[in-house]
Amino acid sequence: MQFGVFTVGDVTVDPTTGREPTEHERIKAMVAIALKAEEVGLDVFAAGEHHNPPFVPSSPTTMLGHIAARTERLLLSTATTLITTNDPVKIAEDYAMLQHLSDGRVDLMMGRGNTGPVYPWFGKDIRAGIPLAIENYDLLHRLWREDVVDWKGKYRTPLQSFTSTPRPLDGVPPFVWHGSIRSPEIAEQAAYYGDGFFANHIFWPKEHTQRMVELYRQRYAHYGHGTADQAIVGLGGQVFMRRNSQAAVREFRPYFDNAPVYGHGPSLEEFTRETPLTVGSPQQVIDRTLGFREYVGDYQRQLFLMDHAGLPLKTVLEQLDLLGEEVVPVLRKEFAALSPAHVPEAPTHASLVAAAGGVKDSTVHAVDDVTGKAPEGATR
């Protein structure tokens, strides 16, 4: 099972000091969090994609490429790649490039985001959100698996004899998770392709997450990818820890109350009771996280949000120390002991290459316009 952190990259005033970080400080802090995640033994760092204040991660590939150059083991992911408003051709090219630069340490989480105005900013209609997600991913899926693509759809210009470059590393595309909080159509899409389904498990009661994951598992089996309990599931979540639970609640309360996403609504106590948000001791986080298995089954990836709502970098790094030293080692041991042998591990580039029959050079060589032949010694 993979454990890691994700960030939405919000620039938020620290309610305890009144200070707001600059965009430069926030971007640098996100990099520091990724480096700390590798240092403390986590598996994954994921960055969101936003194109509006108060968020800064508008170019995930730029950030993840920089982090790839400064890490050795950390798996780099997106917490959302906007499949609805990004051109699937550019997604295919950008993330294949990142895959090469990171030596395969990359995957993606496709999603529609939670900012309605982003659609017209990129020339799209929010009323077509689900059809855009379906059509764009169908094209992306083909671009990574077919050397030459002829394609015609409703929402972008047609392609004729198009080759996306670079080709995926070792002939294997990055693994894709489809992320959704509320849309059963996205769970269906993930199941259809045999991809992963990531339930961002932050805002809703456990019964909602349970229904979404059950739908995905049932449809995964329906499409013949394996049994329902072999489907690839990931969960989000948010935690705040101190060794004393009362201290954790006391310190986190002003951040929760003023958070741009869920502040100014239900109380901290109501929110922690009705959603997976856990504020307390490391043992409370362990117990709560182990409990997720009771309603979603065995799953492959757990990501925590730890830098939201204006928390200073020093505090976030302290949280990562607790997560890496006291929480994740116990979770690894307990989840491994509970998981049946037939349930697959989280996908990695190495496991995907092995399943595909081994490494292959996927380079597509240009054909001479006059002779119609590839250069001597090259293959197409």
Side-chain angles (χ1 to χ4, degrees):
M1 187 166 172
Q2 295 170 343
F3 294 92
V5 292
F6 73 99
T7 179
V8 296
D10 59 305
V11 178
T12 303
V13 173
D14 183 334
T16 68
T17 65
R19 186 182 184 279
E20 182 179 43
T22 66
E23 289 181 330
H24 179 74
E25 289 171 332
R26 191 67 175 95
I27 291 167
K28 290 291 189 176
M30 292 164 68
V31 174
I33 290 166
L35 300 183
K36 186 69 171 182
E38 176 161 280
E39 177 190 322
V40 301
L42 302 184
D43 304 303
V44 184
F45 173 81
E49 178 186 346
H50 295 274
H51 299 276
N52 58 293
F55 306 100
V56 293
S58 58
S59 180
T61 51
T62 304
M63 171 168 285
L64 296 178
H66 175 72
I67 294 170
R70 300 185 61 184
T71 55
E72 297 180 356
R73 184 189 55 81
L74 195 64
L75 180 60
L76 307 170
S77 185
T78 55
T80 304
T81 295
L82 297 177
I83 188 63
T84 45
T85 52
N86 280 308
D87 183 358
V89 172
K90 199 70 172 79
I91 295 176
E93 295 172 340
D94 285 351
Y95 285 92
M97 178 68 77
L98 179 59
Q99 188 191 33
H100 282 271
L101 291 172
S102 65
D103 294 321
R105 294 185 290 126
V106 63
D107 59 30
L108 294 85
M109 187 190 305
M110 301 296 173
R112 292 179 293 139
N114 59 6
T115 306
V118 74
Y119 285 84
W121 294 340
F122 289 86
K124 307 298 181 183
D125 186 339
I126 192 172
R127 293 170 294 184
I130 292 291
L132 275 165
I134 293 170
E135 179 177 294
N136 283 354
Y137 185 65
D138 173 69
L139 175 55
L140 175 62
H141 193 268
R142 289 186 57 190
L143 289 169
W144 275 337
R145 289 164 176 82
E146 301 174 28
D147 286 348
V148 181
V149 173
D150 293 300
W151 179 90
K152 184 177 182 179
K154 181 178 180 180
Y155 297 104
R156 79 173 313 280
T157 52
L159 297 173
Q160 185 173 0
S161 299
F162 180 77
T163 297
S164 173
T165 61
R167 305 303 298 146
L169 176 66
D170 300 325
V172 175
F175 185 75
V176 168
W177 303 81
H178 298 260
S180 180
I181 296 175
R182 63 191 181 278
S183 302
E185 296 91 341
I186 302 304
E188 173 76 17
Q189 183 182 41
Y192 176 82
Y193 289 99
D195 295 335
F197 178 66
F198 191 91
N200 197 359
H201 205 214
I202 287 182
F203 303 112
W204 293 69
K206 65 181 182 180
E207 292 80 9
H208 174 79
T209 299
Q210 182 179 28
R211 288 193 296 269
M212 292 287 285
V213 172
E214 282 183 353
L215 171 64
Y216 161 67
R217 290 189 183 279
Q218 292 167 5
R219 301 302 288 170
Y220 183 95
H222 169 80
Y223 288 114
H225 302 298
T227 60
D229 60 351
Q230 291 176 316
I232 308 300
V233 173
L235 295 182
Q238 184 173 7
V239 300
F240 186 85
M241 294 174 285
R242 289 302 184 201
R243 298 193 184 282
N244 177 281
S245 60
Q246 289 78 20
V249 170
R250 186 170 55 251
E251 183 176 349
F252 188 65
R253 187 182 300 279
Y255 296 98
F256 174 88
D257 289 345
N258 293 279
V261 174
Y262 47 54
H264 311 287
S267 69
L268 176 58
E269 287 74 15
E270 291 171 323
F271 209 85
T272 52
R273 184 176 62 248
E274 298 296 332
T275 79
L277 172 66
T278 306
V279 181
S281 67
Q283 187 60 52
Q284 287 175 303
V285 172
I286 290 169
D287 294 341
R288 191 80 179 276
T289 306
L290 287 173
F292 297 163
R293 182 180 177 273
E294 296 174 5
Y295 55 90
V296 302
D298 294 290
Y299 64 110
Q300 284 78 12
R301 175 177 285 187
Q302 175 68 56
L303 300 184
F304 296 104
L305 177 62
M306 308 193 79
D307 67 332
H308 180 52
L311 286 165
L313 178 60
K314 178 178 180 293
T315 301
V316 176
L317 298 181
E318 292 168 352
Q319 296 289 303
L320 289 171
D321 278 327
L322 289 170
L323 190 67
E325 294 170 8
E326 300 191 25
V327 175
V328 166
V330 177
L331 291 176
R332 285 194 200 282
K333 181 179 178 181
E334 295 294 332
F335 275 117
L338 293 167
S339 182
H342 70 280
V343 172
E345 296 181 354
T348 64
H349 183 70
S351 68
L352 295 173
V353 168
V359 171
K360 72 172 184 178
D361 178 14
S362 57
T363 305
V364 173
H365 297 274
V367 173
D368 186 277
D369 290 338
V370 177
T371 65
K373 298 179 179 179
E376 186 176 349
T379 59
R380 182 180 174 89

